[in-house]
């Protein structure tokens, strides 16, 4: 029996400047979580930060800049609305593109595979 | 609707006049009764169990009763309306950090002279022991810690609820602390596990040595404020009202049943009977 419902938010972080991907190589999931909580605190206050305290960064790829965030179902809308105005990681400007929001990690896995395929094809055609 | 605040941490250094300020404030806000708590953090054994008279609580309550009687006789002479007077209960709060304390409690809580007995477990094992075996009325969950010292589990909480044990949350840290997100997060977590059942809300006020009138709103809040505050976490207003009224009365009934070994007849001295409600 499933007691706690969650939502998985899948998306991509796009650097504001072209060729800025290399700056995020040293960024880890802890920094991402702190940055998101800072934005939530500024927008929604302590209550919003408390709602998103159980948030987890399930997957972060500093190469492709793709991200999967796990959050309780009741707080999913707060996270989605906050991510739209998230514009900084560690003093680097970024924008957030959300691709998918789902209830299971399996559906996120399918989306991530499609995303990675497009990324690889994009890289190959660049070269 | 009878509102109760079951947790004012007793301070023996506070004067009677300062206590009167607090009691008057509670009456103005509409509280029916309050419980003065003695917080036992150090180790104790069956030989030196704290008692209300040794700790000083009895003295404060006796003074209060004397003043109430004086006010009552004066208003009777002047034929003035006598409003309802504040009722009192005594409470022992035990900081449960060792298994020895837990074993000592499991032997004997009926003879404790305090009305209500509560524990604050500090580990998974002690929380499990408190839910399964201990004969107590309240389990206090401190929401101000970054992470709770034990993990909340459905089976344990359901077992405690079936035994008539209530879970307490103090709203004092929500007012006084700067970073409220930790308290809110812990409270949301607790609400998710209990769904509002067997939950009581208390002020957890540590009575200061000197009380100033302008600090009174930060110490005790109006019951309607608390209903709105609790309903913010997903509870309906009716359930929120229960956390400060019906559930508190249930705790008092549970404590009486615990002290009388759940018998039908109880014997007590006349001095302990509540004159307003129960004296024939």
């Amino acid at each position: 029996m499933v007691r706690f419902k969650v939502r998985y938010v899948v998306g991509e972080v796009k650097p504001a400047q072209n060729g800025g991907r290399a700056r995020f190589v040293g960024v880890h999931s802890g920094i991402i979580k702190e940055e998101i909580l800072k934005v939530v605190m500024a927008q929604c206050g302590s209550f919003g930060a408390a709602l998103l305290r159980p948030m987890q960064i399930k997957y972060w790829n500093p190469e492709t800049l793709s991200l999967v965030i796990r959050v309780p179902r009741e707080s999913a809308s707060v996270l989605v609305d906050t991510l739209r105005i998230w514009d900084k990681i560690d003093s680097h400007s970024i924008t957030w593109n959300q691709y998918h929001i789902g209830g299971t990690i399996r559906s996120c896995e399918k989306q991530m595979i499609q995303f990675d395929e497009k990324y690889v094809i994009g890289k190959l055609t660049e070269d | 609707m009878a509102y109760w605040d079951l947790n004012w941490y007793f301070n023996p250094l506070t004067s009677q006049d300062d206590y009167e300020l607090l009691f008057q404030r509670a009456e103005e806000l509409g509280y029916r009764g309050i419980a003065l708590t003695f917080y036992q953090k150090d180790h104790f054994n069956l030989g030196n169990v704290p008692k209300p008279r040794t700790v000083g609580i009895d003295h404060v309550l006796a003074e209060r009763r004397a003043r109430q009687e004086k006010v009552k006789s004066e208003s009777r002479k002047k034929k003035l309306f006598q409003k309802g007077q504040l009722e009192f209960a005594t409470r022992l709060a035990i900081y449960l950090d060792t298994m020895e304390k837990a074993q000592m409690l499991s032997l004997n809580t009926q003879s404790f002279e305090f009305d209500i007995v509560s524990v604050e477990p500090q580990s998974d094992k002690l929380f499990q022991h408190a839910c399964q075996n201990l004969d107590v009325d309240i389990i206090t969950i401190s929401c101000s810690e970054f992470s709770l010292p034990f993990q909340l589990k459905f089976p344990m909480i359901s077992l405690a609820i079936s035994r008539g044990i209530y879970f307490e949350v103090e709203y004092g840290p929500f007012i006084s602390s700067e970073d409220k997100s930790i308290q809110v997060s812990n409270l949301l977590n607790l609400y998710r596990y209990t769904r509002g059942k067997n939950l009581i809300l208390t002020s957890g006020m540590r009575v200061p040595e000197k009380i100033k009138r302008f600090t009174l709103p930060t110490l005790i809040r109006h019951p309607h404020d608390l209903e709105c505050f609790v309903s913010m976490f997903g509870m309906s207003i009716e359930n929120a009202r229960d956390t400060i009224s019906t559930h508190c009365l249930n705790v008092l009934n549970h404590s009486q049943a615990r002290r009388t070994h759940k018998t039908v007849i109880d014997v007590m001295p006349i001095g302990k009977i509540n004159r307003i409600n129960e004296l024939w």
Side-chain angles (χ1 to χ4, degrees), chain B residues 132-152:
Chain B
Q132 279 180 332
N133 304 325
L134 284 186
D135 202 9
V136 294
D137 305 310
I138 298 172
I139 293 176
T140 306
I141 293 183
S142 171
C143 283
S144 50
E145 292 174 29
F146 187 74
S147 62
L148 291 178
F150 47 84
Q151 207 178 359
L152 295 170

Side-chain angles (χ1 to χ4, degrees), chain B residues 210-229:
Chain B
K210 296 261 177 202
I211 296 172
K212 293 177 186 166
R213 278 201 180 269
F214 64 85
T215 60
L216 286 173
T218 59
L219 297 172
I220 335 163
R221 305 295 301 191
H222 197 284
H224 295 161
D225 273 346
L226 302 178
E227 284 170 24
C228 295
F229 169 69

Side-chain angles (χ1 to χ4, degrees), chain B residues 7-247:
Chain B
N7 198 359
W8 284 12
Y9 286 105
F10 178 71
N11 187 345
L13 301 173
T14 310
S15 66
Q16 188 67 30
D17 291 331
D18 285 339
Y19 271 115
E20 283 300 317
L21 267 178
L22 288 173
F23 296 154
Q24 275 167 25
R25 176 73 181 166
E27 274 179 355
E28 282 164 21
L29 291 176
Y31 282 95
R32 174 78 167 274
I34 54 135
L36 286 173
T37 306
F38 177 69
Y39 188 52
Q40 175 71 34
K41 197 162 182 180
D42 303 325
H43 183 70
F44 67 103
N45 52 36
L46 284 171
N48 64 344
V49 172
K51 291 172 186 168
R53 61 172 182 276
T54 51
V55 151
I57 292 178
D58 265 1
H59 174 72
V60 168
L61 296 182
E63 283 278 332
R64 168 69 178 174
R65 276 191 208 105
R67 289 188 193 202
Q68 274 181 335
E69 287 295 325
K70 199 176 168 186
V71 165
K72 209 174 158 185
S73 62
E74 276 174 18
S75 56
R76 225 182 276 147
K77 278 182 202 170
K78 294 177 188 173
K79 293 185 185 170
L80 290 171
F81 173 70
Q82 295 167 35
K83 58 181 179 180
Q85 288 170 339
L86 207 58
E87 293 174 23
F88 294 97
T90 54
R91 175 176 159 180
L92 178 64
I94 299 168
Y95 185 79
L96 201 64
D97 51 354
T98 58
M99 209 58 199
E100 287 165 329
K101 265 193 203 171
Q103 279 164 2
M104 203 209 69
L105 279 176
S106 59
L107 289 172
N108 189 352
T109 55
Q110 283 89 7
S111 66
F112 287 3
E113 291 184 15
F114 288 88
D115 296 325
I116 303 170
V117 175
S118 71
V119 290
E120 192 178 339
Q122 296 301 312
S123 71
D124 267 330
K125 219 173 172 182
L126 290 167
F127 178 65
Q128 190 178 340
H129 187 63
C131 291
Q132 279 180 332
N133 304 325
L134 284 186
D135 202 9
V136 294
D137 305 310
I138 298 172
I139 293 176
T140 306
I141 293 183
S142 171
C143 283
S144 50
E145 292 174 29
F146 187 74
S147 62
L148 291 178
F150 47 84
Q151 207 178 359
L152 295 170
K153 289 177 186 168
F154 272 115
M156 289 299 118
I157 289 177
S158 310
L159 185 59
I161 289 173
S162 64
R163 291 180 66 223
I165 296 176
Y166 281 74
F167 294 96
E168 179 201 12
V169 170
E170 295 171 3
Y171 66 79
F174 287 87
I175 299 172
S176 55
S177 71
E178 287 180 9
D179 185 14
K180 297 175 185 26
S181 61
I182 297 166
Q183 283 93 349
V184 171
S185 175
N186 285 332
L187 181 53
L188 281 170
N189 206 18
L190 180 63
Y191 176 67
R192 199 185 298 144
Y193 279 91
T194 58
R195 306 306 298 167
K197 275 191 214 177
N198 284 42
L199 198 61
I200 60 168
L201 192 72
T202 61
S203 63
M205 176 181 60
R206 294 183 188 270
V207 177
E209 227 175 283
K210 296 261 177 202
I211 296 172
K212 293 177 186 166
R213 278 201 180 269
F214 64 85
T215 60
L216 286 173
T218 59
L219 297 172
I220 335 163
R221 305 295 301 191
H222 197 284
H224 295 161
D225 273 346
L226 302 178
E227 284 170 24
C228 295
F229 169 69
V230 175
S231 63
M232 204 168 68
F233 300 102
M235 254 191 250
S236 63
I237 287 280
E238 290 80 21
N239 289 345
R241 197 172 294 146
D242 286 341
T243 60
I244 45 172
S245 55
T246 319
H247 291 182

